Amino acid sequence: MGTLILAVTSLFLYSVGTALQALHFRGRVHSNLAITTLVGALALISHGLLIAQTVHHDGGFDFGFFKSSVLISWLIVFLLLGLNLRKPVQNLFLGVYPLASLTIIMGLITHTPSRLVSDESYGMLSHIALSVTAYSLFTLAAIQAILLYFQNRQLKRNYNSLLVRNLPPLQTMESLLFEMVWAGVVMLVLAIVTGALFVKDLFAQDLAHKTVFSLLSLMVFVALLIGRYTKGWRGITASRWTLAGCALLMLAFYGSKFVLELVFNRGG
């Protein structure tokens, strides 16, 4: 199947999924887990086939700026579909599906230097896989933190908005956020450890900023978890710390790749 057909199919299915979630959010239709899962799964399959044609080629994987984004958005959708089977996270689809669509569009219309990693570089691929999983989990945590932030503010103002009526109880939202943060921290620690083991020079010029910002991000998330269990941090405080850690992590990954590939036009 052609790349363009797969891209259009993915965009169509993500649009359908977004529309269904928007209608449910506004109370126009009743949410159906089976339909939500089916539409998401079909979009995920199409998106995955697109990745197979654009990211995996020439005996390796191209982890360029936009192609990495296409891969990460696929994993975010995958994780969210899995979570949605047992957790009340369906509102996150309203942010995740448009994000996935945007990465697909940018991946098709832009051209950046390739950063190929060989199929046989198992150590490096394991490091990348763990890093991508960590980024995906923290992206979900960032969206959750934003929702939690606005939910807190509106509840404090006794404002019974559409957002408040659609979100789960505050305690459930906070619990979900910290579950995502915990999972992300585990993946990030493993990614840093495998990077130290398998990357020849973790503090090489091209990786120094990524390493430093990743470690700073990890410190922020660990501080958040400690604050949660020692000082009872929650609500807006937890949201702010989560977003700060996610911002540092995005700088670590996208900041370094943006400068290297889009500013200095350097591949790998």
Side-chain angles (χ1 to χ4, degrees):
M1 191 177 295
T3 300
L4 184 59
I5 294 176
L6 288 171
V8 171
T9 302
S10 301
L11 292 172
F12 172 74
L13 290 168
Y14 282 136
S15 298
V16 171
T18 303
L20 288 174
Q21 290 302 319
L23 289 172
H24 167 67
F25 192 79
R26 295 183 65 84
R28 303 291 178 84
V29 299
H30 180 69
S31 178
N32 186 301
L33 180 61
I35 293 177
T36 299
T37 304
L38 177 62
V39 173
L42 291 174
L44 200 65
I45 292 171
S46 179
H47 191 163
L49 292 173
L50 178 64
I51 290 172
Q53 290 194 4
T54 58
V55 177
H56 183 236
H57 57 81
D58 296 331
F61 295 87
D62 182 0
F63 292 106
F65 185 89
F66 290 108
K67 290 182 179 178
S68 294
S69 299
V70 175
L71 177 60
I72 291 173
S73 67
W74 180 89
L75 186 55
I76 291 171
V77 175
F78 175 80
L79 292 171
L80 185 56
L81 281 172
L83 283 172
N84 191 53
L85 295 176
R86 60 185 185 88
K87 300 286 186 179
V89 293
Q90 65 180 23
N91 290 303
L92 298 186
F93 284 114
L94 284 171
V96 167
Y97 280 166
L99 176 65
S101 299
L102 179 62
T103 63
I104 290 173
I105 293 171
M106 295 303 294
L108 288 179
I109 66 175
T110 57
H111 299 282
T112 56
S114 297
R115 298 186 68 86
L116 292 175
V117 177
S118 171
D119 285 338
E120 299 179 356
S121 300
Y122 302 115
M124 188 64 180
L125 288 174
S126 66
H127 165 66
I128 293 173
L130 289 167
S131 299
V132 167
T133 304
Y135 298 143
S136 301
L137 286 166
F138 282 124
T139 299
L140 289 174
I143 300 173
Q144 180 76 2
I146 292 170
L147 291 176
L148 179 61
Y149 177 84
F150 284 108
Q151 183 184 29
N152 264 278
R153 292 197 57 170
Q154 293 185 2
L155 285 174
K156 287 182 177 180
R157 297 174 180 177
N158 295 317
Y159 182 45
N160 188 27
S161 67
L162 191 63
L163 177 67
V164 172
R165 292 196 298 272
N166 274 279
L167 292 178
L170 199 61
Q171 186 175 359
T172 302
M173 290 287 288
E174 290 176 348
S175 176
L176 287 170
L177 175 62
F178 280 98
E179 286 179 20
M180 293 175 185
V181 171
W182 263 112
V185 165
V186 171
M187 290 295 105
L188 184 56
V189 168
L190 291 174
I192 292 172
V193 170
T194 53
L197 291 174
F198 298 114
V199 177
K200 293 182 179 178
D201 188 353
L202 196 62
F203 284 93
Q205 183 177 358
D206 290 356
L207 296 174
H209 292 88
K210 178 181 177 181
T211 305
V212 170
F213 279 114
S214 294
L215 291 172
L216 287 173
S217 173
L218 179 60
M219 291 171 61
V220 169
F221 288 123
V222 170
L224 168 61
L225 294 175
I226 293 173
R228 165 72 166 179
Y229 293 105
T230 60
K231 298 183 178 181
W233 287 355
R234 52 183 297 182
I236 291 178
T237 300
S239 297
R240 287 173 174 168
W241 276 81
T242 301
L243 291 173
C246 290
L248 288 170
L249 196 60
M250 292 303 105
L251 280 174
F253 183 73
Y254 286 108
S256 59
K257 291 182 76 66
F258 179 86
V259 172
L260 288 172
E261 299 174 27
L262 301 184
V263 176
F264 292 112
N265 199 36
R266 292 172 57 180

